[in-house]
Amino acid sequence: MELYEKLVNGEEKLSLVGLGYVGMPIAVAFARKINVIGFDLNEHKINLYKNGIDPTREVGDDVISKTTVEFTADESRLREAKFHIVAVPTPVNDDHTPDLTPVEGASTILGRNLTKGSVVVFESTVYPGVTEDVCVPILERESGMKCGVDFMIGYSPERINPGDKVHRLETIKKIVSGMDEETLDCIAKVYELVVDAGVHRAESIKVAEAAKVIENSQRDINIAFMNELSIIFNKMGIDTKSVLEAAGTKWNFLKFYPGLVGGHCIGVDPYYLTYKAEMLGYHSQIILSGRRINDDMGKYVAENCVKNLIAADKPVKNAKVAILGFTFKENCPDTRNTKIIDIVNELKEYNITPVIADPCADADEAKHLYGIEFVDMDSIKEMDAVILAVAHEEFAGVSMDRMNKFFGSGKKVLLDIKGLLNRKEYENAGYSYWRL
């Protein structure tokens, strides 16, 4: 009986290595169909899951409390599974080179707990070649087994969009790949258990790795173009949002918008691709240009905050500035790799220490990673400027009366980064209003 049938019949288990914003929803989805072991090194996170608490807000406490996933921080439990999915982050170092430490660490742990006949599928975003050239040697070294003989490998890039309740694992077509046709068939069948949208069988592992890394690189480049347009139109005194709304009436105009590009995918994946290109002697022209623009947008926002304070006859040094939102994207508690910190750090260069409110963010994480302590929105008063930085649902409905209470005397400086508010209404009310 093949592995797929044994999984479906409850004779074998699937393991999920890495239970973050990507891994945990995958584990929960599979647990509705087969037996699942969910492993993560973070014991605190595991205890939260066991107690029915979803710190990621991806599936919710009710779903977590009812799931049959066997959550554990004990790596030896991985030996009970035959089908393994690795979903750990792949960040970049400060010099923008790939940091493969998490995926190498996961491979080491899995390798020493791997049993014969297993299938290992990596979901982490990497440059083409990492699965076969980096991960497989670690698995072989730690297990003492041979890939292609004692265990098989595949790659299926994650496409989960944190905070998105529409585009979920089940509704996004899944790219799958395997080291040979038999392995590919098994991997495809397993994922088809939970992915209603179906799977796309890539012709090789490297093709699947490349497909993933260009998905976010393409998006990054398009957003960089919008950010550059925003800079140009700002100098011209033209509202970028109005321009994009007008241009968007053409059927084939791509509807991208300017913004801060953080998180673990769009702001990271292009560097994996350009790193591999550099190894092969090619220096990226378009991709790295887009990255430079997007990486500088936090500084650009802070500079425009200062310019607007000066224009409003407000002293810059020790100006009272509030930032609403700190996460890397809307309706998601994740603060890792947020670009809001770039605004904070640049404002500090002008002797401005902003207060920050974010009811959606993971406060403990922000404190640990950045030393940031959030304030309650109701405590924000007497401000010279307010930066509405993240499009959380909690902020989208902020009324002008509520906004007025944030400010002190004099002209009100408002930077609406995501364009959530009605520009004309605020300008007619006397605000100094600015947006990307």
Side-chain angles (χ1 to χ4, degrees):
M1 186 183 295
E2 64 178 44
L3 179 54
Y4 167 76
E5 291 172 338
K6 289 183 177 180
L7 286 167
V8 173
N9 293 336
E11 298 174 39
E12 293 290 0
K13 295 180 180 180
L14 177 148
S15 87
L16 212 301
V17 180
L19 298 173
Y21 291 81
V22 171
M24 184 274 293
I26 296 172
V28 170
F30 272 113
R32 297 188 181 105
K33 305 285 186 177
I34 57 179
N35 296 323
V36 176
I37 295 171
F39 170 77
D40 198 286
L41 285 172
N42 189 328
E43 291 190 24
H44 174 65
K45 185 190 296 180
I46 291 296
N47 288 330
L48 288 176
Y49 289 148
K50 284 182 175 179
N51 290 316
I53 300 171
D54 176 13
T56 71
R57 303 190 191 180
E58 285 300 301
V59 301
D61 294 350
D62 184 56
V63 172
I64 284 290
S65 64
K66 293 175 181 176
T67 185
T68 59
V69 175
E70 300 174 56
F71 294 111
T72 182
D74 177 7
E75 66 174 71
S76 67
R77 293 288 311 278
L78 295 173
R79 298 170 192 169
E80 300 173 25
K82 272 288 193 290
F83 193 102
H84 305 275
I85 297 175
V86 179
V88 294
T90 41
V92 291
N93 298 304
D94 291 340
D95 62 356
H96 296 149
T97 57
D99 178 8
L100 296 176
T101 305
V103 76
E104 289 172 338
S107 298
T108 299
I109 291 171
L110 183 55
R112 60 180 177 239
N113 293 285
L114 203 59
T115 59
K116 282 193 175 184
S118 293
V119 173
V120 180
V121 182
F122 290 88
E123 289 219 1
S124 306
T125 303
V126 292
Y127 57 80
V130 168
T131 300
E132 293 157 297
D133 302 337
V134 177
C135 299
V136 167
I138 296 174
L139 292 172
E140 290 183 329
R141 181 191 72 212
E142 296 297 324
S143 67
M145 296 189 290
K146 187 71 176 173
C147 182
V149 177
D150 302 306
F151 68 91
M152 305 295 176
I153 60 154
Y155 182 80
S156 179
E158 57 87 6
R159 280 175 159 176
I160 287 176
N161 186 23
D164 190 333
K165 303 306 178 186
V166 177
H167 301 99
R168 312 300 301 152
L169 172 69
E170 296 85 355
T171 62
I172 306 170
K173 180 163 283 193
K174 198 85 165 71
I175 296 173
V176 294
S177 64
M179 64 183 299
D180 53 39
E181 285 300 320
E182 185 179 350
T183 305
L184 173 58
D185 192 53
C186 175
I187 292 170
K189 286 181 178 178
V190 171
Y191 275 105
E192 283 172 343
L193 286 171
V194 295
V195 182
D196 298 332
V199 302
H200 172 82
R201 299 187 182 208
E203 67 177 45
S204 71
I205 288 174
K206 285 186 175 67
V207 165
E209 289 170 324
K212 170 56 182 175
V213 83
I214 71 161
E215 287 176 11
N216 287 323
S217 296
Q218 181 191 64
R219 187 165 177 79
D220 190 48
I221 291 166
N222 277 291
I223 296 172
F225 176 47
M226 295 299 115
N227 281 332
E228 188 167 59
L229 291 179
S230 176
I231 294 169
I232 294 169
F233 292 145
N234 184 37
K235 290 181 177 295
M236 293 180 175
I238 302 172
D239 182 57
T240 306
K241 187 176 181 181
S242 298
V243 174
L244 295 178
E245 286 175 351
T249 58
K250 190 180 181 185
W251 77 93
N252 61 352
F253 185 81
L254 301 179
K255 295 188 178 181
F256 287 90
Y257 301 94
L260 302 176
V261 185
H264 324 288
C265 294
I266 301 177
V268 171
D269 296 356
Y271 286 123
Y272 273 74
L273 185 57
T274 57
Y275 174 81
K276 182 63 176 180
E278 291 275 4
M279 290 173 64
L280 299 172
Y282 180 77
H283 182 72
S284 163
Q285 305 297 309
I286 295 175
I287 300 171
L288 285 180
S289 294
R291 276 283 76 232
R292 282 191 290 272
I293 291 171
N294 287 342
D295 277 343
D296 287 343
M297 291 308 289
K299 182 175 184 288
Y300 177 70
V301 169
E303 289 173 347
N304 276 278
C305 178
V306 170
K307 289 178 182 178
N308 278 275
L309 284 169
I310 294 170
D313 294 323
K314 300 269 189 178
V316 172
K317 187 176 181 180
N318 297 320
K320 299 184 71 176
V321 176
I323 299 177
L324 303 184
F326 190 73
T327 60
F328 86 88
K329 68 174 295 186
E330 63 274 10
N331 306 319
C332 175
D334 197 353
T335 65
R336 294 172 299 167
N337 201 28
T338 176
K339 289 301 178 182
I340 309 302
I341 193 64
D342 293 350
I343 301 176
V344 174
N345 291 337
E346 188 64 21
L347 287 175
K348 287 180 178 179
E349 293 292 316
Y350 294 91
N351 287 312
I352 298 172
T353 302
V355 296
I356 305 169
D358 194 326
C360 185
D362 185 329
D364 292 336
E365 183 179 75
K367 173 68 174 175
H368 173 71
L369 293 178
Y370 308 103
I372 296 290
E373 292 192 29
F374 299 135
V375 301
D376 188 270
M377 281 180 64
D378 291 334
S379 71
I380 298 176
K381 296 174 182 175
E382 303 297 321
M383 292 293 124
D384 297 309
V386 172
I387 302 175
L388 183 50
V390 185
H392 290 320
E393 290 177 357
E394 290 94 330
F395 298 152
V398 171
S399 66
M400 188 179 293
D401 286 341
R402 180 80 184 277
M403 189 65 72
N404 288 337
K405 293 177 182 178
F406 294 148
F407 290 91
S409 58
K411 198 169 186 68
K412 301 176 178 66
V413 176
L414 174 62
L415 287 83
D416 180 11
I417 306 306
K418 301 293 287 187
L420 290 179
L421 307 176
N422 186 305
R423 179 176 197 138
K424 288 185 178 179
E425 285 184 8
Y426 279 84
E427 287 181 338
N428 290 339
Y431 275 72
S432 171
Y433 180 98
W434 183 92
R435 67 186 177 201
L436 286 175

